[in-house]
Amino acid sequence: MFERESRKITLPPTENQAIWLRQGVGTRLPLILLHTAWKMGSGQLHYSVPEESQHGTFVGRIAQDLGLQVDELKPRMFQMESQGDGDYFKVNEQNGILFVNSRIDREGLCGKSPICTIHLEVIVDKPLTVFHVEVEIADTNDNAPVFSVREQNLAVLESRVQGSHFPIEDASDADIGSNGHITYKLSPNEYFSVEEIKNYEHSKSLVLTLNKPLDREVSPEHHLLLSASDSGQPTLTGTVLLVISVVDVNDNAPAFNQSVYKTELLENSAVGTLVIKLEARDMDDGINKEISYSLSNLVAPNTKERFSIGPNNGEVRVKGAVDFEECTAYDIQIEATDKGGYPLSGHCKVLIEVLDVNDNSPEMSLKSLSVPVPEDSPPGTVVALISVSDRDSGANGQVRCSVRPSGLPFKLLSTFKNYYSLVVAEPLDREQEAEYKLVVTAQDQGTPSLSTSSTLVVPIGDINDNAPAFLQPSYTVFVKENNPPGAHIFTVSASDPDVAENSLITYWLDEKLWPISSYISVHSESGKVYALQPLDYEEVKLLEFQVRAKDAGLPSLCGNVTVQVFVVDENDNVPAVTVPVQEAATLLMVPMTAGHVVGKIHALDADSGYNAWLRYEMHEGSSGLWRVGLYSGEISTTRALDEAEGSSSHSLLVLVKDHGKPALSATATLGISLVTSVQAFPADARLPRIGGSPNPLADNTNIYLIIAICSVSSLFLLAIIAYMALRCHCQPKEAVMYGPGAATLVCASEVGSWSYSNRHSHILGGVAGDSSAKSDLMVFSPNIPVFAGNGKQQDLLCLTFYDYYPVS
């Protein structure tokens, strides 16, 4: 640093520098040495400039000295701030030179402080760096010693002995060092001389010393000129006229037991607080002994505004506000005057040291803030830069920063002097907390401690780290068959906790398992599922597919859900009669007993459940001689028939209905002829007749019996084979689209319509003696929640059909 400063001096001087250099090497060399000493002792960079320097005066090549390139000042957002009031310096960003911007009055800026520095903070970005620069303001002898008055009046008893001292007002010089060092000289006379007496530590009093006893009758008044000169170059001088009146008679002045009193006082002491009690004594008697106390006329006006003394008791009390940050000590001249005809006065000095009280809260300033903070920011990322300060001194001015509440993913780090960085301490997740409210507290170390708090809002920036998710892994939807094309059957909805485009979701079908685009489509924005064509329960009973949801983030994320669409059967198929198809004829021999089964109607229904559950009824008008089984379809006699009723024929009309709503029905016609003996049959008779065609039968009863036994045995064997095939067929298998097949689950909604059954048909009728006929056993199961076509949940009543086969 010293070598750099030396190089600066050898540069061609500017006009202001030339004037300064012309003051002589003797003045410049001490400044250089003082400047070097300061740079070695404090700060990162130190400069010195004389006070009263004109605008544009060169101070230093700050960019070069800080190790910065001139061409990177602007890109790195170079800025310089002064910690105090005033904009005394600026930096030319074209060449990196620090120069004087405005006139600097050292005395107005620092008063009598021996060191006067202006603290600058240089902040550059990329990376964020703070430099501390101190510019020392060198004193010049621009202030002459001055006295507060042009004339001082003193009254001196003629009885005062040789060597007596009389305090007089000293001169003040706003400069410091040799420029502020004052020497006094009194005009030539034989009675008085002037001298400085050291009272206490650095406190001095200027007194007038009596060298020869006075004689009022010879010279009642003396006029002396007191000169005060400083030690600057050039020397400046101030004068005051001393008018000394010689007083007769009262020859004992009040005297204090000490010439100087020292006491301490806390700042912010209440008005009326006792500082010290003074007492002076007068050896005279009577009125010449009575004493009145007062503040000397030499006391500064601002001191008189803060302290007062009781005229009769000598108590010095607080009169106004006492602030340590404004003044740390007071020097008060006290006068004790007796009440004689020619009052005499005694003097003492009270030194009041003001003690600092922690009465200033810390101050915080936000220098930079980088928000929002991306949620993927690594620990250590700087969020904010905060500066703190405290006007108090000592422990009262030492500040520590903290952040609350605890448990936040942020922490404060002390980076530079009086600077703290708020950094990321833990991983962030915007979906758990989108914004943090931090309270930054600056607390000093005083007693009691003072603190300042400021709320800092830190929003968290979103990244696409969440895939769209459905509320459940799969949905079950029930749709009635024969729906209109393009019907809305369900709506899938996924949610994404991200925001903006990261949460913008589109939907589409995943067709990897089965091409179902001809049946189902999904709206890409709303998630509505549409049936593109009417669904037929008899053709398709289940559509199973996956709907995928993708967000619009970069990169995009996906989620999927399985949708099962069960086609609900409606009663849209009429029962179909198989035997007889339209008409059948049967020859029966009489006599026969009541309840004799003469035949059985076979009918099928392509629907399922109740829609396929058939019942049989005799049509009105049919003969009362016959009846039909309600669910079996068996036709039997209602009473016994005898031979007298032989050779007669009957036409029966049977009505077959399902249990659907509305019910659908079909009819079957059966012709029955009664004969008395087998010989009555024609030779070419064929019983029964189906659709008008002959149906050959055996010529005797034994043939019918053999055929019946063989049929029953064959049907029983077929039943066993069908049962084993059904057991193998019912093993679970993976499929996406289902057609007709056997199953057992039948569900009905609140309105009573059957929602699902894999039974394509129920064979509830057959010929007499058919042992392979099935019966249905319905078992009620608890209600289960499902989703209807409108997306609402409803309860379904479920029935389970179990097929069983009679053994005997």
Side-chain angles (χ1 to χ4, degrees), residues 122-446:
V122 175
I123 302 176
V124 292
D125 202 353
K126 302 176 183 178
L128 178 63
T129 310
V130 179
F131 300 96
H132 294 276
V133 180
E134 294 179 349
V135 180
E136 179 183 355
I137 309 304
D139 182 49
T140 61
N141 193 25
D142 58 342
N143 293 280
V146 293
F147 294 91
S148 62
V149 294
R150 294 185 177 182
E151 181 179 307
Q152 293 190 36
N153 295 312
L154 287 84
V156 180
L157 286 175
E158 64 175 345
S159 59
R160 296 298 295 266
V161 297
Q162 183 178 348
S164 297
H165 299 301
F166 306 96
I168 58 177
E169 180 189 9
D170 54 359
S172 62
D173 194 327
D175 296 323
I176 63 170
S178 60
N179 295 331
H181 182 265
I182 301 175
T183 57
Y184 297 90
K185 183 178 181 181
L186 192 62
S187 59
N189 69 94
E190 60 179 329
Y191 292 101
F192 296 96
S193 63
V194 66
E195 61 180 311
E196 288 182 282
I197 299 177
K198 184 175 181 181
N199 295 320
Y200 186 84
E201 294 179 354
H202 301 290
S203 177
K204 295 181 180 180
S205 297
L206 185 64
V207 297
L208 198 63
T209 303
L210 182 62
N211 297 327
K212 181 179 179 180
L214 299 174
D215 188 356
R216 179 183 174 279
E217 288 69 27
V218 175
S219 179
E221 195 172 77
H222 299 269
H223 293 265
L224 305 176
L225 186 64
L226 178 61
S227 299
S229 302
D230 60 25
S231 300
Q233 295 293 334
T235 301
L236 301 178
T237 303
T239 60
V240 65
L241 179 62
L242 302 179
V243 178
I244 303 170
S245 300
V246 181
V247 180
D248 198 13
V249 186
N250 189 17
D251 57 351
N252 286 291
F256 293 93
N257 57 357
Q258 294 179 219
S259 60
V260 176
Y261 295 86
K262 183 179 180 181
T263 186
E264 296 177 345
L265 177 67
L266 291 175
E267 67 169 326
N268 303 326
S269 295
V271 174
T273 300
L274 177 64
V275 179
I276 191 172
K277 180 176 176 59
L278 302 177
E279 183 178 1
R281 295 183 179 182
D282 195 317
M283 301 302 296
D284 294 325
D285 291 329
I287 196 172
N288 294 330
K289 189 176 184 178
E290 296 180 7
I291 299 174
S292 175
Y293 301 93
S294 64
L295 299 181
S296 173
N297 294 329
L298 308 178
V299 176
N302 64 338
T303 303
K304 290 182 178 180
E305 293 175 357
R306 288 164 174 75
F307 300 97
S308 64
I309 189 171
N312 298 321
N313 55 22
E315 293 179 350
V316 179
R317 294 185 179 272
V318 176
K319 180 182 178 182
V322 179
D323 190 357
F324 175 85
E325 286 70 38
E326 182 179 340
C327 184
T328 60
Y330 291 92
D331 191 337
I332 304 176
Q333 190 80 26
I334 304 297
E335 212 174 67
T337 305
D338 60 27
K339 299 181 179 180
Y342 297 95
L344 299 178
S345 299
H347 304 83
C348 75
K349 183 177 290 189
V350 178
L351 300 178
I352 302 175
E353 181 182 357
V354 180
L355 302 180
D356 182 39
V357 174
N358 194 22
D359 59 341
N360 291 282
S361 298
E363 298 178 356
M364 288 191 297
S365 176
L366 184 63
K367 294 298 183 182
S368 67
L369 179 63
S370 300
V371 292
V373 181
E375 61 179 323
D376 60 347
S377 298
T381 302
V382 178
V383 178
L385 180 64
I386 302 170
S387 68
V388 295
S389 60
D390 196 314
R391 294 181 58 202
D392 293 320
S393 62
N396 297 332
Q398 296 178 2
V399 182
R400 293 180 182 175
C401 277
S402 61
V403 62
R404 57 182 174 86
S406 59
L408 295 179
F410 300 97
K411 63 181 179 180
L412 279 175
L413 297 178
S414 179
T415 52
F416 312 106
K417 179 182 179 182
N418 297 331
Y419 276 86
Y420 286 85
S421 294
L422 180 67
V423 300
V424 176
E426 299 175 6
L428 304 175
D429 189 353
R430 191 206 65 82
E431 286 69 43
Q432 292 186 0
E433 194 73 38
E435 184 179 87
Y436 291 91
K437 288 187 177 180
L438 295 78
V439 178
V440 181
T441 301
Q443 186 173 22
D444 60 31
Q445 305 304 304

Side-chain angles (χ1 to χ4, degrees), residues 110-124:
C110 300
K112 295 289 289 183
S113 176
I115 299 175
C116 182
T117 57
I118 295 178
H119 296 272
L120 305 176
E121 288 182 350
V122 175
I123 302 176
V124 292

Side-chain angles (χ1 to χ4, degrees), residues 52 111 554 627 773:
E52 305 296 338
L554 290 176
R627 65 183 177 189

